[in-house]
Amino acid sequence: VADLGQNGIEAVTLVEDGRTLPAEAYTSEAVLAEEYSRIFGRTWQYAGNVSQLTEPGGFFTSRAGRIPVVVLMDNDGAIRAFANVCPHRGHLVAQGSGCRRTLQCAYHGWTYNLDGSLRNVPRAASDPAFDPSGIALTELRAEMWGPLVFVNPAPDSRPLADVLGGVPELAAARDFDAARFPLRATRRTEIRCNWKVTVDNNTECYHCATIHPSFARDYYVDSDHYLVTAFPETFSHHSPMRRPDEGASEITPDFHLYYVWPNFMLSARRSEYFYTYVYLPLGAGRTAQLNEYYFPAEWSDEQVAAKVDDIETIQHEDWGAFENVQAGLESGMFDRGHLVPSQEELLVQFHRLYASYMTAV
Ligand code: FES
Ligand SMILES: [Fe+2]
């Protein structure tokens, strides 16, 4: 792994007018290692929905960058997050989701209270050389946008509401209420691309007319109708439905998309349903896309499965593009791409934000 140091990182993240980040930003494991600490170590990342935590001891597990996370409801009913890493030898403590009065590590059986404090260490009482003082799970910050729980590993991070900017207000004005729908399905897909390829793609609808024929039939994808609203670390897309007399296949609700730096998206069809995305980096050229689908409670399981398949048709179109782009980025025949500024302005904003985090001291 190359040693990038501060100067190396500055070279890799330098933003040039009208050009993308260099290929190395998308292909280097050393860059990803820096991103884990400089970006994923100090930003708000979506962990899950508070509706999964109905009583004290309710918990679910997730990831913030490379950090395994457990989110739980403590004995006072507060939502808290901890690094899901046992201070004994590093085993993950909680697995999956459930409800427990205490969290027990499966490896040697150490147990923790719901405030993260160490509760019991088997066979340690008779060991005069063992000192339990100061041993606890590391707490992370946990804050919510409605029922959506975000965690942040940095104790001094700005509040989530600051980062969300005008997005919650904009979404509410469009009658969006995340608490209205239950979680009906989850999907996990691994994609052979860098996580930033996914975000680059989602900043623009320049690609919609070419790779998303069904979307482009039902929605306006030209820049006169497909509207973007940018805030410093979030943005929104909005496209109105074309009517059947304009060529659309059926009446479907307006398309709304919200992005939260660095790797979260929420896609809503007006106020009728929504789904979330997390793009979790697994390696420089490998990303997991985690989706949660929130649909009306009255939809049958068959309706849920059919709608997820329908949405995944468009996602497959993107995944194919992501893997093709990654192949070009890794080819040695490409360094900085050439942008069309009027079509890719949010991509430029994303790269500037990226550079500011990667070079902050
Ligand atoms: S690693 Fe958790 S009890 Fe040993
Ligand atoms: Fe797309």
Side-chain angles (χ1 to χ4, degrees), residues 43-107:
T43 50
W44 290 100
Q45 289 148 75
Y46 179 63
N49 193 303
V50 77
S51 66
Q52 293 170 262
L53 309 176
T54 53
E55 56 183 315
F59 72 92
F60 59 79
T61 54
S62 133
R63 286 260 300 255
R66 65 183 156 180
I67 305 173
V69 171
V70 56
V71 177
L72 56 77
M73 182 183 286
D74 73 10
N75 287 320
D76 299 325
I79 304 303
R80 299 171 74 155
F82 300 92
N84 187 23
V85 178
C86 184
H88 176 220
R89 295 257 299 284
H91 196 279
L92 305 194
V93 178
Q95 311 282 340
S97 61
C99 190
R100 300 275 168 80
R101 303 298 301 276
T102 61
L103 297 178
Q104 181 169 45
C105 177
Y107 198 6

Side-chain angles (χ1 to χ4, degrees), residues 40-270:
F40 296 97
R42 59 193 190 94
T43 50
W44 290 100
Q45 289 148 75
Y46 179 63
N49 193 303
V50 77
S51 66
Q52 293 170 262
L53 309 176
T54 53
E55 56 183 315
F59 72 92
F60 59 79
T61 54
S62 133
R63 286 260 300 255
R66 65 183 156 180
I67 305 173
V69 171
V70 56
V71 177
L72 56 77
M73 182 183 286
D74 73 10
N75 287 320
D76 299 325
I79 304 303
R80 299 171 74 155
F82 300 92
N84 187 23
V85 178
C86 184
H88 176 220
R89 295 257 299 284
H91 196 279
L92 305 194
V93 178
Q95 311 282 340
S97 61
C99 190
R100 300 275 168 80
R101 303 298 301 276
T102 61
L103 297 178
Q104 181 169 45
C105 177
Y107 198 6
H108 308 91
W110 287 28
T111 52
Y112 302 88
N113 296 304
L114 299 179
D115 62 1
S117 59
L118 184 61
R119 180 186 180 91
N120 185 48
V121 177
R123 297 191 231 169
S126 57
D127 187 337
F130 177 75
D131 177 10
S133 58
I135 301 177
L137 298 177
T138 301
E139 187 153 13
L140 312 178
R141 296 187 62 185
E143 294 181 8
M144 289 185 278
W145 170 16
L148 308 176
V149 182
F150 290 73
V151 301
N152 191 325
D156 59 349
S157 49
R158 287 179 297 139
L160 173 66
D162 275 17
V163 171
L164 293 176
V167 154
E169 205 182 331
L170 190 61
R174 295 167 176 169
D175 201 24
F176 172 75
D177 175 8
R180 197 180 290 154
F181 302 110
L183 174 62
R184 298 295 305 274
T186 60
R187 294 279 174 97
R188 181 186 199 280
T189 307
E190 278 196 36
I191 317 162
R192 291 188 306 276
C193 73
N194 184 270
W195 70 275
K196 297 187 295 300
V197 170
T198 71
V199 180
D200 285 352
N201 173 78
N202 292 314
T203 62
E204 46 90 359
C205 204
Y206 185 30
H207 71 277
C208 296
T210 32
I211 74 166
H212 298 312
S214 65
F215 184 83
R217 185 179 64 233
D218 290 348
Y219 293 93
Y220 289 103
V221 297
D222 62 287
S223 34
D224 285 342
H225 295 88
Y226 190 97
L227 302 179
V228 301
T229 310
F231 302 97
E233 302 189 36
T234 50
F235 64 70
S236 157
H237 292 183
H238 172 217
S239 181
M241 170 72 188
R242 294 152 74 105
R243 298 188 310 272
D245 61 12
E246 297 171 303
S249 56
E250 55 176 344
I251 294 286
T252 51
D254 289 10
F255 170 81
H256 298 141
L257 182 79
Y258 305 99
Y259 164 79
V260 180
W261 160 259
N263 65 337
F264 175 75
M265 289 203 315
L266 187 159
S267 184
R269 290 301 179 282
R270 194 155 17 177

